[in-house]
Amino acid sequence: MDRRVRVRFAPSPTGPLHIGGVRTALYNYLFAHKHGGDFLIRIEDTDQTRFVPGAEEYIIESLKWLGIEASEGIGFGNGKHAPYRQSERKPMYKDFAMQLIANGHAYYAFDTAEELDSMRDRLKASNVDAKYDAITRGTMKNSLTLSEDEVNRRLENGDAYVVRFKLPRKEEVKFEDEIRGWVSFNTNQMDDKVLYKSDGMPTYHLANVVDDYLMEISHVIRGEEWLPSAPLHVLLYRAFGWENMMPKFAHLPLLLKPEGNGKLSKRDGDRLGFPVFPINWIDPITQELSSGYREAGYLPKAVVNLLAFLGWNPGTQQELFSLEELVQAFSLDRVSKSGAKFDQNKAKWFNQQYVRQLADEALAPVLFEALGNIGTTDQFSHDFLLKVCSLVKEKISFTNEIWEYSKYFFIAPIEYDMQVVNKRWTDKTPKLLGDLIEDFEQLSSFTQETVEASYQKALAKNEVQGKDFLQLFRVILTGVAGGPPLFEIAALIGKTESLNRLRNALSNITK
RNA sequence: GGCCCGUUCGUCUAUCGGUUAGGACAAAAGAUUUUCAUUCUUUAAAGAGGGGUUCGAUUCCCCUACGGGCUACCA
């Protein structure tokens, strides 16, 4: 059956979206575009106790920053299947739960939390798997054990109830995962999952299956943590009689911690020194900040590129891909099966590649902002900023490093790299600097070439070797030992500033 | 504990029974750059272990080990 490709990213707004989730969204996006289909965003906020204010907005903003745009759903203009927020779809789920009760695939259960606990304790004590299943449900308070009158009495009385799925006994459930191939589970290992909660909300399982069906989802691409509940979902499609409309499943490998143990979690980021969130997040309750890629100086294109390669590869040697190129190259059967550890070095390398490709105009605003922070924006022209960006760009890996590497273009050094000074400052130096100052003053045109000519002249006059002095000259002008070509720096900051810095050095540096 | 998924250089991975097991990041060495960064060259680095199947297994099957996930009226 050939049907229109429709996929969804369905996060729950319980906090900031972490990069594993971003990657899931990305793969969904790539798959949809590859097949000319639709990519939609649905918010799964059925657990009202875990709702976190701002989380939904955060998710949308993150995806927009990365350019992972949905064609339909929350944050991207509703489509024909609105609403796309499950809390707003609440009224429709009950009918589906009732439908399952009517056809014998589900039942009411009235057990209290205490009764469930005592059942589990009892079974655990006798070393049996404690679950609400084909064996134990006969001992519990539900519409299978209670008389019809009693059930009706309780329902009319408004007693709290849940709807549980009546799992078939000892049945092998098989399905073909697009990434893992045939996967099979036996229902005797599963339990009668709650589908409809006592607060009138569906659980993930019901809402997910119902919405995927109603929204005509063709492929469910989600994290591997959902693999164990996939058979339940398959059974639900069957129980509803929707098997011919059941989406294909693709369970993605998990993103693992770099140190090795466990999946990457929300708390790992700042502890390990790299972000696990796309953008900064401030916890609304604790006010604790979790840093994001955006603020850490990553470029969205780099994040997309590096995330795409965590668990997928094109099978060629090409590593740098735009989003459009990824769409062209992407396929589910090149997604790997095993979890990938996040590699900070590789991430840095990807970013560096994109920083270099960045136009000076795109980098200048970052520099401008840094300048604003120290209050000296006015005195520098846009053209000057662009030239600084062009000179410094290849030295940095992250956009927010630009200030650190370029501040001497704007502020005369107050400190000098003393290692260089101690090594290179000799008795001849003051005289040499004096000659340089004299010569610079005579220059009517202060360019890279004229500066270098003056420099060579002064060296010759004082019988100093270039390699003995140049780095000291650099430190005198910039304060630091490394950087772009020195004569270009001098020409850019200009004659007056260069002279100032030479004179400063003469009076400041005492050996 | 039970169930499920996985396992190639330190890391991400290529290989769809026959390869000197390839690439990238990181590491090391050298060259270039008057510095730093870049760039270039080079080096080191892997099939978890054990059984099968086969003329031949990294590749297919089984067992073990290890890693991961799930095991809620959370998603």
Side-chain angles (χ1 to χ4, degrees):
Chain A
M1 182 183 54
D2 246 14
R3 66 155 145 169
R4 182 175 178 80
V5 167
R6 283 174 61 78
V7 297
R8 82 294 192 279
F9 177 56
S12 48
T14 54
L17 177 63
H18 96 316
I19 51 170
V22 175
R23 193 198 55 175
T24 302
L26 174 63
Y27 284 11
N28 272 282
Y29 173 97
L30 296 176
F31 186 78
H33 283 262
K34 169 82 180 186
H35 295 96
D38 308 314
F39 169 52
L40 51 119
I41 299 207
R42 184 172 72 216
I43 298 292
E44 310 224 325
D45 54 348
T46 53
D47 186 354
Q48 297 170 317
T49 64
R50 290 213 303 159
F51 176 80
V52 174
E56 181 183 302
E57 293 74 9
Y58 176 95
I59 292 166
I60 304 307
E61 192 189 344
S62 298
L63 295 178
K64 286 187 172 165
W65 175 62
L66 291 163
I68 305 172
E69 304 262 332
S71 43
E72 194 178 321
I74 300 294
F76 296 89
N78 279 340
K80 58 179 173 178
H81 294 287
Y84 290 85
R85 203 177 275 117
Q86 289 182 329
S87 58
E88 292 171 31
R89 303 169 67 81
K90 182 176 175 183
M92 57 175 61
Y93 300 110
K94 187 172 183 180
D95 289 344
F96 288 100
M98 293 305 126
Q99 188 183 321
L100 252 24
I101 292 182
N103 67 19
H105 286 296
Y107 57 91
Y108 294 104
F110 301 96
D111 315 280
T112 63
E114 295 73 40
E115 288 168 333
L116 288 170
D117 284 346
S118 82
M119 178 266 279
R120 289 183 180 123
D121 290 347
R122 201 179 64 234
L123 289 173
K124 270 183 187 151
S126 48
N127 235 333
V128 182
D129 245 11
K131 50 189 179 19
Y132 206 117
D133 62 7
I135 296 162
T136 55
R137 67 184 166 227
T139 69
M140 305 301 287
K141 290 200 181 77
N142 53 53
S143 57
L144 268 18
T145 60
L146 268 20
S147 70
E148 200 179 326
D149 286 349
E150 173 67 6
V151 170
N152 288 334
R153 194 191 60 74
R154 283 174 179 256
L155 290 176
E156 279 159 29
N157 199 31
D159 286 9
Y161 69 87
V162 300
V163 175
R164 282 182 183 272
F165 189 58
K166 190 180 172 191
L167 209 63
R169 191 123 139 83
K170 290 191 183 173
E171 191 176 312
E172 200 70 18
V173 183
K174 288 208 278 189
F175 65 94
E176 191 174 12
D177 188 273
E178 297 292 295
I179 293 169
R180 285 153 213 286
W182 285 98
V183 180
S184 112
F185 291 82
N186 196 296
T187 56
N188 62 20
Q189 295 295 334
M190 298 160 60
D191 62 351
D192 288 358
K193 277 276 176 309
V194 170
L195 301 177
Y196 189 79
K197 301 185 272 190
S198 58
D199 65 357
M201 274 290 195
T203 59
Y204 170 85
H205 304 104
L206 211 222
N208 192 261
V209 165
V210 165
D211 285 346
D212 282 349
Y213 171 73
L214 294 176
M215 295 180 181
E216 304 174 77
I217 297 303
S218 64
H219 298 260
V220 169
I221 303 170
R222 69 209 329 178
E224 195 187 356
E225 70 267 28
W226 292 109
L227 192 54
S229 49
L232 169 66
H233 303 156
V234 170
L235 256 14
L236 277 168
Y237 282 99
R238 285 186 198 159
F240 277 118
W242 299 336
E243 206 171 353
N244 62 332
M245 289 297 285
M246 185 168 81
K248 293 189 163 151
F249 294 99
H251 290 94
L252 268 19
L254 264 15
L255 256 32
L256 273 17
K257 298 177 202 276
E259 346 150 86
N261 295 303
K263 74 171 172 173
L264 197 57
S265 76
K266 304 197 172 189
R267 284 164 294 285
D268 290 326
D270 293 313
R271 183 174 62 79
L272 298 169
F274 66 89
V276 294
F277 300 108
I279 60 184
N280 274 1
W281 164 262
I282 295 168
D283 188 288
I285 292 159
T286 65
Q287 297 299 309
E288 193 187 343
L289 171 76
S290 301
S291 60
Y293 283 89
R294 185 176 64 186
E295 291 78 5
Y298 280 84
L299 264 8
K301 288 177 176 187
V303 176
V304 163
N305 200 152
L306 75 92
L307 244 28
F309 269 72
L310 245 29
W312 170 87
N313 77 84
T316 65
Q317 305 284 68
Q318 186 183 349
E319 293 206 271
L320 263 17
F321 279 81
S322 67
L323 192 57
E324 296 70 31
E325 289 173 313
L326 285 171
V327 166
Q328 288 314 309
F330 190 77
S331 79
L332 245 23
D333 49 49
R334 293 209 67 89
V335 172
S336 47
K337 296 180 177 70
S338 49
K341 285 179 190 163
F342 185 86
D343 184 355
Q344 200 179 350
N345 281 322
K346 193 73 181 248
K348 179 180 173 180
W349 178 81
F350 269 115
N351 204 250
Q352 195 180 52
Q353 301 304 309
Y354 284 93
V355 166
R356 265 182 227 161
Q357 290 175 18
L358 210 56
D360 299 334
E361 286 79 10
L363 198 51
V366 181
L367 193 50
F368 189 78
E369 202 191 322
L371 274 176
N373 290 340
I374 58 156
T376 49
T377 355
D378 300 344
Q379 49 203 97
F380 301 101
S381 71
H382 185 62
D383 192 51
F384 182 79
L385 255 56
L386 290 181
K387 284 182 175 143
V388 171
C389 286
S390 144
L391 281 176
V392 177
K393 194 160 59 183
E394 69 173 24
K395 312 280 176 197
I396 62 174
S397 299
F398 300 99
T399 54
N400 61 3
E401 287 175 339
I402 189 152
W403 173 245
E404 193 191 323
Y405 283 80
S406 69
K407 55 185 169 195
Y408 52 77
F409 284 99
F410 307 94
I411 307 168
I414 18 179
E415 286 180 341
Y416 300 95
D417 185 325
M418 289 313 285
Q419 240 185 321
V420 175
V421 172
N422 290 333
K423 190 171 171 197
R424 297 296 182 196
W425 188 284
T426 68
D427 298 341
K428 289 179 171 177
T429 307
K431 166 79 172 35
L432 177 58
L433 289 179
D435 288 347
L436 256 182
I437 289 170
E438 233 170 78
D439 219 71
F440 278 0
E441 280 169 339
Q442 306 304 314
L443 290 178
S444 54
S445 147
F446 201 75
T447 66
Q448 187 184 337
E449 291 75 21
T450 59
V451 170
E452 184 163 7
S454 290
Y455 170 82
Q456 295 297 355
K457 206 166 89 185
L459 281 186
K461 192 172 163 192
N462 289 276
E463 296 180 321
V464 172
Q465 294 297 308
K467 64 179 163 73
D468 292 334
F469 181 63
L470 196 106
Q471 205 178 15
L472 179 59
F473 188 35
R474 175 182 290 281
V475 168
I476 285 165
L477 285 183
T478 71
V480 293
L486 188 54
F487 301 115
E488 284 189 59
I489 295 176
L492 191 53
I493 62 177
K495 178 172 163 179
T496 315
E497 183 64 20
S498 297
L499 281 168
N500 279 344
R501 294 186 185 188
L502 287 176
R503 295 195 182 101
N504 282 348
L506 225 31
S507 53
N508 290 348
I509 301 179
T510 43
K511 203 164 174 217

